[in-house]
Structures are given as structure tokens and as C-alpha cells.
Amino acid sequence: MANLAKLDFVALDISGKNYLSWILDAEIHLDAMGLGDTIKDQNTETKQNKAKAMIFLRHHLHEGLKSEYLTVKDPLMLWQTLKERYDHQKTVILPKAKNDWLHLRLQDF
């Protein structure tokens, strides 16, 4: 069934192509909701705050990722496993984007 609730930002695609923008959006929204510490190491957040953060993060995941990480109940653990899975894109995509930006040529029409 399609996700009928309105998303605050685009859900993380199963391919991870939007991972870099997704982590930035997720961090900003969690901080705004007062839940930013739930995804940081050695946090002392309450179970309620961790549950709110998990609901928020799972709401912004692709359906395939939701089912894959169904048993994960800690937002920090989910954050770290997604980072391990997709963080390599920073080393692949970011340098290429910087290079493209440096060599951008404006064409005079």
C-alpha cells in the first residue's frame, strides 16, 4: 500500500542515490524536533525519544528498506547501518561533483 501520509522530505531510496541529501534533511528535522541526540554515539535519550526518532526515520525510508531493517529498534543502530551501507557515496559522488563544478563552462547562446 502506498504511503499516504505527507513526507517532510524525500524518502531514502533503496538504491541510496539520494543518501547525501537524505542524511542532511533527517539530521535537520531531528534537531528541530529535539531528537538530534538520538542518532549520536553514547546518547542518554529516553525510550520515548528514541521511539519518536525511529518512527520519524522509518517514515522516511523506502518500503524495501523498512522491511529490511524491520527488527532494528534503536535509531542510532539504524543510522549507523544505513551509513555503512551508503556512506561510500561521499568518496565516489562528491569528488566528481566538485570536479564538475570546477570545470563548469557557461555557454553563450
Side-chain angles (χ1 to χ4, degrees):
M1 183 174 168
N3 190 358
L4 300 177
K6 184 177 181 245
L7 297 177
D8 298 314
F9 53 93
V10 178
L12 177 61
D13 189 53
I14 197 162
S15 67
K17 66 182 177 184
N18 64 337
Y19 175 73
L20 296 175
S21 62
W22 184 85
I23 59 167
L24 180 63
D25 290 338
E27 279 181 320
I28 291 169
H29 279 80
L30 286 172
D31 283 338
M33 295 180 342
L35 302 171
D37 289 340
T38 59
I39 57 171
K40 295 187 172 121
D41 286 331
Q42 301 173 351
N43 66 60
T44 57
E45 288 293 320
T46 64
K47 286 185 178 185
Q48 278 184 324
N49 284 347
K50 287 181 179 183
K52 288 176 188 176
M54 271 306 285
I55 290 168
F56 179 79
L57 290 174
R58 286 185 49 79
H59 183 69
H60 291 87
L61 290 178
H62 183 274
E63 293 298 322
L65 288 172
K66 281 183 189 179
S67 62
E68 188 171 335
Y69 296 109
L70 188 64
T71 59
V72 178
K73 294 184 179 181
D74 184 21
L76 176 62
M77 185 66 138
L78 177 64
W79 191 260
Q80 289 174 341
T81 54
L82 290 173
K83 183 177 182 176
E84 288 173 9
R85 181 174 179 159
Y86 296 118
D87 200 41
H88 70 281
Q89 292 184 1
K90 283 183 182 176
T91 58
V92 175
I93 295 173
L94 197 56
K96 182 184 180 326
K98 285 182 179 179
N99 185 40
D100 290 347
W101 182 255
L102 286 173
H103 295 92
L104 182 66
R105 306 258 192 263
L106 298 177
Q107 296 179 355
D108 187 12
F109 291 99

